[in-house]
Amino acid sequence: MNAELKKDFYRNVYKIAIPVTLQSLIMALLTLTDQLMVGQLGDVAIASVGMSSKIYGIISVVLAGLAMGVSVYAAQFWGKQDRKSISGLLGIGLLVGFSLSFLFSLFVFIKPQLCLSLFTTDARIIEDGFIFLQITALTYVPMMLTMMYSAILRSTEHVKLPMFVSLFTVVLNIILNYLLIFGKFGFPEWGLKGSAIATLIARIVECLLIIGAVYKFKLPGGADFKDLFSASKSLVTKFIRTTYPIILTELIWVLGETVYAIIYSRMGTAEMTAMTITFPLQGICIGLLAGLSSAGGVMVGNKLGAGEEEIALQYAKRFILLGISVSLVIGAIIALISPLYVSAFNVSDETHQLGIYLVWVFAAFLWVKVGNMIMAGGILNSGGDSKFVFAMESTATWLIGVPSGLLMSFVWKQPIFLVYLVLSMEEVVRFAIGMARIRSKKWIKNLVNDLAA
């Protein structure tokens, strides 16, 4: 990569990655603050939120897959400066997203105890957690709207608006959490229920602010009804063909994570609580580097849409190297601060020690997790290589991760940190397969050459 191209690369990385990273970090800090506040209510409350977040994770990653499909095409259309096709693309995402989020929300709202019972047999968790889950089920539709419009904005390099909206709603959520969990300044002391209501209010406000700003400032996606739902048949067909493997990949991944959560929870409440308190830290670490994955998808997709395939390949390789280098440093830091982090939670001595061990394992595998996130979530999908990504993710999760986790926990009765260590080896396999695919160049495709309006 010559000096001018390298300068252009880093200029665009700063422009796209930093706002996305800040947004992801803000959301992760919200999760951490939420957990710390709920953590003052004890082990059962922490585990209840952990179980509920896993159910929330199922619909959120499916919608993330849909948003990723929207982002892939939006980035390539933006490379050709085709705003009309971007509007039609958003319409497809909204129709599919509403159908999925509404049905899932309805089911979880009606059957919250059934959903929780899939993860745990602890009656206390089911009794305390079902109200939290039922209320947060109402956040799924506004979350979907935010995700679709944010996908369009990020792919068209309008990344600051989602960041500022997230910052405002996170502050709002934290304030509402404090007021409604602990009953401060005359507000009712609702505990877990208060946390759920605070989340619902914040998600609705976030959704309204994003959509309102898109139309007020006439940003990409701010189309009238006719343009929003006027996508051509060829775009719909091609979008579905590319996007369904992305959604299946996300679903396969979250189902694997769900199996892991079931494994942890069946090992005992202390084990599940220890794993749950690591989730906010994991979210912060991944959030710090999520911007690289997003920037990789946008920048590589822009170059592919513009027909600059060699530059797209050079960008892809540099993104992977940058992600691994930064994550190695972050992994070392979180390993050092792990005792201090776990001590912030009001948990038993057993849970405290297990939590430290689990953070160490996560720190050791952070670099490979980030490398996979950039390759699969950003680069390979940017070229429409979603079917290969689906095959790669499915193989690693269901032929390596899940079987090894089940054997280590239920057959060989190993402690939770060793279970987590062994099943994390799936990340190494996934990384090797992904790097081979990057080098093959088979993922490099212009998806919109015959679709531009």
Side-chain angles (χ1 to χ4, degrees):
M1 185 180 289
N2 60 48
E4 185 61 33
L5 187 59
K6 187 181 295 185
K7 183 179 179 181
D8 182 64
F9 172 84
Y10 284 110
R11 182 170 58 247
N12 282 291
V13 166
Y14 298 144
K15 180 181 177 181
I16 300 172
I18 290 178
V20 174
T21 295
L22 288 175
Q23 184 182 9
S24 299
L25 184 59
I26 288 166
M27 298 308 296
L29 287 172
L30 168 62
T31 302
L32 174 59
T33 305
D34 208 23
Q35 286 280 16
L36 287 171
M37 289 184 183
V38 172
Q40 306 311 307
L41 304 177
D43 284 15
V44 172
I46 295 174
S48 298
V49 173
M51 296 293 94
S52 298
S53 68
K54 286 299 179 184
I55 296 167
Y56 166 82
I58 295 174
I59 185 62
S60 67
V61 299
V62 170
L63 293 176
L66 179 63
M68 191 181 299
V70 170
S71 182
V72 166
Y73 279 88
Q76 293 209 15
F77 278 130
W78 190 248
K80 299 179 74 67
Q81 292 298 300
D82 183 359
R83 294 176 69 107
K84 184 177 180 180
S85 292
I86 290 174
S87 297
L89 177 68
L90 175 60
I92 301 171
L94 291 175
L95 284 174
V96 177
F98 180 78
S99 301
L100 293 172
S101 59
F102 178 77
L103 291 174
F104 196 83
S105 177
L106 186 63
F107 177 77
V108 175
F109 184 81
I110 294 173
K111 297 287 185 181
Q113 292 97 333
L114 174 62
C115 295
L116 285 172
S117 66
L118 297 175
F119 294 88
T120 181
T121 56
D122 192 323
R124 297 174 302 164
I125 294 176
I126 296 174
E127 183 178 347
D128 290 349
F130 96 90
I131 296 176
F132 180 88
L133 179 60
Q134 191 173 50
I135 295 172
T136 54
L138 301 176
T139 68
Y140 300 161
V141 172
M143 174 189 70
M144 177 276 299
L145 292 170
T146 299
M147 290 174 73
M148 294 305 121
Y149 278 92
S150 294
I152 293 293
L153 292 172
R154 289 174 178 172
S155 300
T156 57
E157 302 177 23
H158 295 82
V159 291
K160 292 183 179 179
L161 173 61
M163 179 192 70
F164 287 126
V165 170
S166 291
L167 177 59
F168 174 79
T169 53
V170 162
V171 172
L172 174 64
N173 202 336
I174 290 173
I175 293 172
L176 290 173
N177 271 339
Y178 180 71
L179 296 176
L180 297 177
I181 292 176
F182 305 115
K184 302 296 183 179
F185 300 105
F187 283 82
E189 186 178 348
W190 281 336
L192 277 176
K193 179 182 176 182
S195 176
I197 292 174
T199 300
L200 175 60
I201 294 172
R203 288 289 174 268
I204 293 173
V205 170
E206 181 181 39
C207 166
L208 293 176
L209 287 175
I210 284 280
I211 297 175
V214 164
Y215 280 91
K216 178 176 176 58
F217 299 113
K218 296 181 172 57
L219 301 176
D224 57 33
F225 188 84
K226 180 181 177 182
D227 288 338
L228 201 59
F229 298 103
S230 62
S232 65
K233 183 179 179 181
S234 57
L235 174 57
V236 173
T237 301
K238 203 166 185 179
F239 174 80
I240 292 174
R241 190 184 305 132
T242 305
T243 304
Y244 86 83
I246 299 178
I247 295 176
L248 288 178
T249 299
E250 295 295 318
L251 187 58
I252 285 292
W253 176 80
V254 77
L255 288 176
E257 291 294 307
T258 301
V259 173
Y260 299 155
I262 292 172
I263 290 172
Y264 303 144
S265 64
R266 301 283 170 159
M267 295 178 74
T269 299
E271 283 79 1
M272 186 61 228
T273 303
M275 181 58 73
T276 299
I277 64 178
T278 71
F279 292 157
L281 183 61
Q282 292 189 39
I284 290 173
C285 295
I286 295 298
L288 280 170
L289 296 155
L292 288 177
S293 177
S294 182
V298 172
M299 289 171 59
V300 173
N302 288 164
K303 293 302 180 184
L304 291 175
E308 300 173 351
E309 296 181 353
E310 187 58 37
I311 296 177
L313 178 60
Q314 292 183 49
Y315 274 15
K317 291 179 179 178
R318 186 158 288 272
F319 267 114
I320 296 169
L321 179 61
L322 183 61
I324 291 174
S325 301
V326 176
S327 57
L328 283 171
V329 175
I330 294 175
I333 293 172
I334 64 172
L336 290 173
I337 68 168
S338 56
L340 182 63
Y341 169 77
V342 177
S343 296
F345 294 87
N346 179 25
V347 294
S348 64
D349 291 341
E350 179 188 7
T351 301
H352 181 274
Q353 193 59 54
L354 288 174
I356 293 175
Y357 292 156
L358 289 170
V359 172
W360 286 349
V361 175
F362 171 74
F365 283 92
L366 179 60
W367 70 272
V368 72
K369 288 177 182 286
V370 171
N372 289 332
M373 178 176 67
I374 293 172
M375 279 192 292
I379 295 167
L380 295 178
N381 278 328
S382 72
D385 204 22
S386 53
K387 291 182 180 178
F388 177 84
V389 173
F390 171 70
M392 177 179 69
E393 296 285 346
S394 302
T395 299
T397 298
W398 292 97
L399 295 185
I400 299 173
V402 170
S404 62
L406 291 171
L407 287 172
M408 287 290 291
S409 60
F410 297 138
V411 178
W412 297 323
K413 309 291 185 183
Q414 296 300 305
I416 189 170
F417 56 89
L418 288 181
V419 175
Y420 184 40
L421 173 66
V422 171
L423 63 82
S424 293
M425 292 302 297
E426 70 170 25
E427 297 284 359
V428 178
V429 174
R430 188 180 288 121
F431 183 82
I433 297 172
M435 282 302 299
R437 187 67 171 183
I438 293 289
R439 293 193 184 99
S440 74
K441 303 182 182 180
K442 294 180 180 178
W443 56 276
I444 298 178
K445 303 182 189 73
N446 186 322
L447 301 172
V448 302
N449 195 43
D450 58 342
L451 293 176

